[in-house]
Amino acid sequence: MGSHKLKSAPSVEDFMSHAPQPLRAEMEALRQLVLSASPGIGEEVKWNAPSFHLGEHFATMRLNGKVPLQLILHRGAKKSELPPPAIDDPTGLLEWLGPDRACVNFTKPGAVSARADALKTILQQWVNYIPPRTVG
């Protein structure tokens, strides 16, 4: 019997090093913003993009949609039956995709920096709704 090596996912750094400019600069700015939102946030490549976790995964970059860069905020991999999180979003950054997920669109270079303060405030609220990771 031959041995099969599981192909491990690339590190976020490796993944990002292959992204084209100027998207790579925006992705890196978004990555640093998410990681700075709360202590203990981890990252990995999941769903073919950088994804962030704190207990469960809660935010994933979307790179292949109609918008060049999106941040999808969610409450884990599975659809949540919990009520929608009460997120204060005075600048209207969130586009709700369902009761348990929303996205923020970044359509041009510099959009992450321009929205950094508002997005960090949203992320700091969002992480309070992340369920603890279940073992099983």
Side-chain angles (χ1 to χ4, degrees):
M1 244 172 117
S3 66
H4 295 289
K5 275 191 168 180
L6 290 177
K7 186 178 177 186
S8 62
S11 71
V12 173
E13 290 87 2
D14 288 344
F15 182 91
M16 304 250 313
S17 72
H18 293 93
Q21 288 290 7
L23 185 59
R24 185 184 321 162
E26 285 296 287
M27 289 171 61
E28 186 60 39
L30 184 55
R31 175 183 178 219
Q32 294 306 319
L33 183 67
V34 174
L35 290 172
S36 72
S38 182
I41 292 176
E43 64 180 350
E44 66 180 318
V45 175
K46 190 169 175 114
W47 303 298
N48 296 314
S51 187
F52 304 90
H53 54 84
L54 190 65
E56 289 288 340
H57 284 263
F58 70 89
T60 303
M61 289 186 199
R62 182 170 185 226
L63 308 169
N64 56 357
K66 292 179 182 175
V67 173
L69 177 60
Q70 293 178 305
L71 184 66
I72 308 297
L73 299 174
H74 48 85
R75 296 170 79 180
K78 295 180 182 157
K79 186 173 180 172
S80 172
E81 299 302 324
L82 297 171
I87 304 295
D88 184 28
D89 178 20
T91 60
L93 284 185
L94 294 177
E95 177 185 328
W96 287 93
L97 306 172
D100 63 341
R101 57 197 60 232
C103 76
V104 179
N105 296 314
F106 303 97
T107 57
K108 58 187 176 195
V112 173
S113 310
R115 298 173 164 181
D117 291 341
L119 182 55
K120 189 166 185 176
T121 298
I122 288 169
L123 288 165
Q124 289 168 335
Q125 296 172 72
W126 194 273
V127 297
N128 292 320
Y129 291 93
I130 307 309
R133 180 170 272 176
T134 54
V135 177

